Amino acid sequence: MLSDAKIRAAKARDKAYKLTDSHRLYLLVKPNGSKLWKWNYAYDGKQKTMAFGIYPMVSLVNARAKRDDARALLDEGKDPSVVKKLRIEANLEAGRNTFERVAREWHENAKAQWAAIHADDVLRSLERDVFPLIGDLPISELTAPKILEALKSIEDRGAIETAKRVRQRISAVFVHAIAKGIAEKDPAEKLGAVLKPLRKGRQPAITDLGRLRQMINDAEEDYARPITRLALRLLALTAVRPNEIRGARWEEFENLNDAEPLWRIPAARMKGDVERKNEIGGDHLVPLARQSVEVLRALWPLTGSGALLFPSNRHGHRPMSENAIGYLLNRAGYHGHHVPHGFRAAFSTIMNEWAERNGKKHDRQIIDLMLAHVPKEKVEGAYNRAAYLERRRELAVIWADKLIATLPPPTVLVHRPAKKTGEFSRRRVPAELPDDFRFPQVTLAG
C-alpha cells in the first residue's frame, strides 16, 4: 500500500518504475521525475490501462476514489475508459451548446409563425439584453440566479415589461433545448413571480432629461425609415399627440422662412368631441423652435412634394402607421419604458420643474396650454387658444435647447440605414437642401 510519505520520497531513476497500491492501482515514476497515476483492469477478456492524472495534482486519496468509481462501472458491465471518453465528448458538446447558439436556433425555427418586424424585435431583445451576459455559457449549466441577474439588469433601466417579455423568450429557448435533450429543466420558468409588477394607469414615460436624450439617441441610431426618425424627433420637440404628428400636413405650417414659424393644427384634427372639432378658433397653435424647423428642412426633400409630412411607405396619400414610432422605441430597448405619448409627460415634468426654479408667472398654465390642455374652470368655447403665444415660443426654444443639446442634426438621421442589413429606404435619399433654400408658402385649406 502506498502512502504520501512513500510517494514524496520516490526519486527518478534511469528507467521508469512502478509503486503499486491496492486493486491494481499504481504510480508510474518516470526518468524525468514526473509521477503518473495508472490503473490496470480487464474488460471483455482484454487487459486495459486507464490514466487518472499526475501526482500531486491528483492526490493518493483522489486516485483511489477514481479507481473505486471505475471499478463500480466495471461491476455494471461498462468499460470505464469508454464512459470517460463519452463524458468528455458530452462536456465538449455542452460547451458548444451555449445559450446564444441554442437561442438563435430556436429563433430560426420559430420566426416563420411571426410577423417579420416582431421576429426582428425578439432577436434584438436577446442580442441586446441577454447574449452579452449569458450568451457564451452552456445552456445546460445555467441557473435561475444567473438568468435573474440578466433580467434585473433590464429592470434597472426601468423597462419592466421588457424584462417580463425577455423572461418568456428565455423560457421558450429552454423548452426548445429540453426537447432536443441538451437541457433538463427550465430555470427561467418561475422567475416571473420575482420580477417587478407592471405599472398600471399612466402610460410609461422617461421624465429625466439625461435619460430622455439617451433614449432618443438610441432610437435614432437604430434602423428605421428616415421619416420615422424625423417624426420621432419632431414629436419630442413639439410634445403634440402622436396622431397629430402622423396626420401633419405641409399646409399647416406657417412662416417657416421667418423668425416666428408656427404649426397650426386644425381643430378638426385635435383630440376632443364634435363640438371641439367644429369650434371656431379651436386650432392648436404650436410655435416652432429653430430645431423643429431644421427637422422640416431635412424632411422636405423626402416628402415635400406631397401633402403629408409623414406618409405611409406604401401609400403616399395615407399617414404613416400609428405603430411606427412605437416600434422604433421598442427596437431600441424601451418597450414598457417609454411610448410615443410619453413625450408629453416628459415635456410637462421637465419644463414644470424648470419653471419652478427659473420661470415666470403663469408659466405652469402656459405649459398646459402648449399641451392643448383646457383648464377645468374654463368653458371650451371661451378658451383663448392663441393666448401667451410669445411666451409659448420662448418656452419652446428653452425646451428644444435642453432636449437637443447632445443630439446630431436632423440631416444625419436621413442617411442612417433603414434596415438591419445596412440598406437604405427603397426611395432614393435626395441631396440636402441648399443653404439659401426657402419653403414655399402653402395656405391652409378651408
Side-chain angles (χ1 to χ4, degrees):
M1 295 281 289
L2 289 176
S3 67
D4 283 321
K6 186 175 182 180
I7 294 173
R8 287 194 300 269
K11 305 298 182 183
R13 300 176 185 174
D14 292 339
K15 294 184 179 180
Y17 65 96
K18 299 177 182 180
L19 297 176
T20 60
D21 196 59
S22 58
H23 302 291
R24 307 185 72 182
L25 175 67
Y26 63 93
L27 190 70
L28 181 65
V29 183
K30 304 190 75 174
N32 61 5
S34 62
K35 300 171 182 179
L36 310 178
W37 288 111
K38 300 279 188 177
W39 177 62
N40 291 330
Y41 69 100
Y43 182 80
D44 194 22
K46 298 179 181 178
Q47 293 296 319
K48 292 190 168 189
T49 300
M50 193 172 181
F52 287 156
I54 303 172
Y55 180 89
M57 293 177 61
V58 177
S59 68
L60 174 59
V61 172
N62 289 338
R64 287 171 175 169
K66 288 175 177 286
R67 175 202 61 197
D68 293 342
D69 290 342
R71 292 180 67 201
L73 290 172
L74 275 178
D75 291 343
E76 296 175 5
K78 299 176 181 178
D79 186 339
S81 294
V82 173
V83 171
K84 179 180 179 181
K85 184 179 295 186
L86 290 175
R87 286 174 178 168
I88 292 173
E89 287 296 326
N91 290 336
L92 289 173
E93 186 61 22
R96 298 184 190 107
N97 285 321
T98 63
F99 181 84
E100 180 174 349
R101 177 183 177 184
V102 178
R104 290 187 181 278
E105 182 181 281
W106 162 78
H107 180 267
E108 185 67 26
N109 184 63
K111 70 178 184 180
Q113 62 187 302
W114 301 324
I117 192 168
H118 177 67
D120 282 346
D121 287 347
V122 169
L123 184 57
R124 282 181 61 79
S125 70
L126 295 174
E127 290 175 335
R128 178 185 61 243
D129 297 322
V130 181
F131 294 166
L133 294 176
I134 63 173
D136 59 349
L137 300 178
I139 192 169
S140 61
E141 297 181 15
L142 282 172
T143 61
K146 191 65 179 177
I147 295 170
L148 184 61
E149 180 182 332
L151 297 175
K152 286 295 184 182
S153 69
I154 303 173
E155 282 190 340
D156 288 346
R157 69 169 190 260
I160 308 302
E161 187 172 349
T162 298
K164 292 184 177 296
R165 289 179 180 271
V166 169
R167 186 212 64 80
Q168 293 172 348
R169 291 162 186 173
I170 292 175
S171 190
V173 173
F174 272 98
V175 170
H176 176 78
I178 293 169
K180 291 197 65 179
I182 54 180
E184 295 182 357
K185 59 183 179 180
D186 173 13
E189 181 181 10
K190 305 295 184 182
L191 293 181
V194 297
L195 295 177
K196 294 179 181 178
L198 290 173
R199 293 170 292 191
K200 303 294 183 180
R202 296 179 62 183
Q203 299 190 65
I206 295 174
T207 56
D208 173 79
L209 182 59
R211 293 181 61 213
L212 187 68
R213 287 176 184 153
Q214 184 62 52
M215 184 271 295
I216 295 172
N217 186 69
D218 290 344
E220 290 179 347
E221 287 184 342
D222 212 307
Y223 61 94
R225 294 172 61 210
I227 70 167
T228 305
R229 293 194 190 94
L230 293 171
L232 173 70
R233 177 73 70 92
L234 190 61
L235 180 64
L237 283 164
T238 59
V240 299
R241 295 179 177 89
N243 278 342
E244 292 155 12
I245 281 284
R246 290 181 55 242
R249 303 176 70 86
W250 285 107
E251 64 188 16
E252 297 171 1
F253 292 83
E254 306 171 5
N255 304 322
L256 293 181
N257 302 308
D258 302 326
E260 297 183 347
L262 184 73
W263 180 10
R264 185 185 300 272
I265 305 177
R269 289 214 304 113
M270 295 298 296
K271 179 181 178 181
D273 55 20
V274 175
E275 183 179 353
R276 164 67 198 275
K277 293 180 181 298
N278 293 328
E279 179 186 343
I280 297 175
D283 297 348
H284 178 47
L285 306 182
V286 183
L288 299 175
R290 168 185 55 82
Q291 293 90 337
S292 296
V293 177
E294 289 175 353
V295 173
L296 299 178
R297 283 181 61 91
L299 183 63
W300 180 264
L302 298 173
T303 66
S305 60
L308 295 167
L309 271 70
F310 305 107
S312 163
N313 196 33
R314 296 182 179 179
H315 306 286
H317 62 287
R318 297 179 184 175
M320 67 191 300
S321 166
E322 62 181 348
N323 297 319
I325 297 176
Y327 281 147
L328 177 55
L329 294 174
N330 291 350
R331 288 196 300 273
Y334 294 89
H335 190 285
H337 190 30
H338 192 92
V339 295
H341 198 275
F343 287 110
R344 293 171 61 77
F347 170 79
S348 178
T349 300
I350 295 170
M351 289 304 293
N352 273 302
E353 290 176 353
W354 175 88
E356 286 183 4
R357 299 187 300 270
N358 308 294
K360 298 180 180 180
K361 185 179 180 181
H362 304 311
D363 272 355
R364 294 180 68 87
Q365 291 84 351
I366 294 172
I367 289 169
D368 276 348
L369 182 59
M370 294 173 74
L371 292 166
H373 292 163
V374 178
K376 295 179 180 178
E377 66 272 13
K378 294 286 185 179
V379 177
E380 181 88 1
Y383 190 51
N384 183 2
R385 300 185 187 281
Y388 300 104
L389 196 57
E390 182 178 352
R391 183 56 176 167
R392 287 157 66 182
R393 187 175 299 281
E394 292 173 355
L395 293 178
V397 170
I398 292 170
W399 169 246
D401 288 345
K402 286 178 171 293
L403 185 68
I404 307 301
T406 60
L407 297 177
T411 50
V412 171
L413 309 184
V414 174
H415 298 286
R416 286 177 174 169
K419 297 182 179 180
K420 190 175 182 180
T421 57
E423 299 175 11
F424 287 84
S425 170
R426 287 180 292 175
R427 299 177 181 175
R428 183 179 62 86
V429 177
E432 294 180 15
L433 297 175
D435 292 339
D436 60 351
F437 169 81
R438 292 180 64 82
F439 289 95
Q441 185 63 43
V442 183
T443 303
L444 184 63

